[in-house]
Amino acid sequence: MQRILTILSILAVVAHGATYDLPPLPFGTSSLKPMIGKKTLQIHHGKHHAKYVNTLNALVAGTSLENQSLEKIIKATYKSKPGIFNNAAQAWNHSFYWKCMTPKGGGIPNENKHSKLLCDKINASFGSYDNFRKEFAEAANTVFGSGWAWLVSDAKGNLSVRKTIGADNPMVSSGKCIPILTCDVWEHAYYLDYANLRPSYVDTFLDKLVNWEFVAENLERAVDSGKNWS
């Protein structure tokens, strides 16, 4: 697990001194229009994500968790300190989610443009991209209430789809696996643009927003780190 968390720390928020910083978006607030609007990103990143980071800073100040990586906090507080866990996990989840999107993204990954390994593993794990897409969309659309849909890798690059409720993250709730893609299905991620039509948002995410380059990099890290899993 420690090796997994070391790899994951590359991907998200890190501590600076005694506080955690809100990372900037990897794109402009207008860059994902019309798929995701400027106001949605301003509120989602500038209000919701920022609140998780600020609350986490307040909760860990003066404790043994202060200055620890987000990944270590998530591991240490899972099922034992829900207030700290929820805010640490949501800070991590959101930082990861932003990197999972890019303007002019989505669609079927191409082995020449993105990664042969990624394309091969999707086909090996799901039979085809269409099968993966169907399973991922079903997971995202059937999260009851608020949560996340994930594509995860095991030590050998075998892929599977998971869904989590609330702030839960498969790095702690699903055994030895590394998240390589996520879709936020909390209502604040899509309601201003899609109202209650979550399936439309999920379709748009998959068809027009997924940053397959980032997903491919995460898969390569997962396979590389898996060589040292016990």
Side-chain angles (χ1 to χ4, degrees):
M1 177 63 77
Q2 181 60 43
R3 178 66 178 175
I4 300 174
L5 298 183
T6 299
I7 296 300
L8 287 168
S9 67
I10 298 171
L11 307 177
V13 182
V14 295
H16 293 285
T19 63
Y20 299 89
D21 294 332
L22 176 68
L25 290 170
F27 37 73
T29 54
S30 296
S31 298
L32 302 186
K33 293 171 59 178
M35 289 80 72
I36 296 180
K38 180 177 181 179
K39 188 173 183 180
T40 292
L41 289 175
Q42 288 175 328
I43 295 173
H44 194 176
H45 176 260
K47 300 295 184 182
H48 290 279
H49 191 182
K51 178 66 173 177
Y52 297 128
V53 173
N54 292 337
T55 302
L56 175 65
N57 283 326
L59 289 172
V60 300
T63 74
S64 61
L65 295 173
E66 191 174 40
N67 298 321
Q68 297 294 317
S69 71
L70 272 184
E71 293 75 24
K72 288 183 179 179
I73 294 175
I74 290 168
K75 179 183 177 183
T77 60
Y78 182 55
K79 291 188 175 181
S80 63
K81 297 180 179 179
I84 295 176
F85 171 81
N86 286 337
N87 285 281
Q90 284 293 78
W92 194 99
N93 294 351
H94 280 84
S95 296
F96 189 77
Y97 168 67
W98 304 130
K99 295 178 182 179
C100 287
M101 297 187 291
T102 188
K104 299 181 180 179
I108 302 173
N110 181 286
E111 66 179 46
N112 295 318
K113 181 180 179 182
H114 303 111
S115 164
K116 185 177 187 302
L117 175 64
L118 174 63
C119 295
D120 288 346
K121 290 299 184 180
I122 288 176
N123 289 329
S125 300
F126 299 98
S128 67
Y129 172 79
D130 287 344
N131 288 341
F132 153 73
R133 190 195 181 289
K134 180 179 180 181
E135 187 171 336
F136 190 93
E138 182 177 4
N141 289 324
T142 56
V143 170
F144 185 76
S146 301
W148 302 81
W150 306 85
L151 178 64
V152 303
S153 172
D154 70 6
K156 296 182 179 180
N158 299 311
L159 306 180
S160 59
V161 170
R162 310 287 173 88
K163 60 182 177 179
T164 59
I165 302 297
D168 273 8
N169 182 301
M171 75 167 90
V172 288
S173 64
S174 300
K176 286 188 174 181
C177 67
I178 289 181
I180 66 172
L181 171 69
T182 194
C183 180
D184 185 351
V185 292
W186 285 63
E187 283 192 344
H188 60 240
Y190 62 87
Y191 207 85
L192 291 180
D193 299 304
Y194 298 90
N196 64 328
L197 302 178
R198 185 193 290 180
S200 296
Y201 157 69
V202 172
D203 285 345
T204 300
F205 175 85
L206 289 167
D207 296 341
K208 297 183 178 181
L209 290 173
V210 173
N211 183 352
W212 287 117
E213 287 87 350
F214 179 65
V215 178
E217 291 170 2
N218 295 336
L219 176 59
E220 289 168 4
R221 290 191 188 103
V223 172
D224 182 62
S225 69
K227 298 172 184 176
N228 298 295
W229 292 7
S230 59

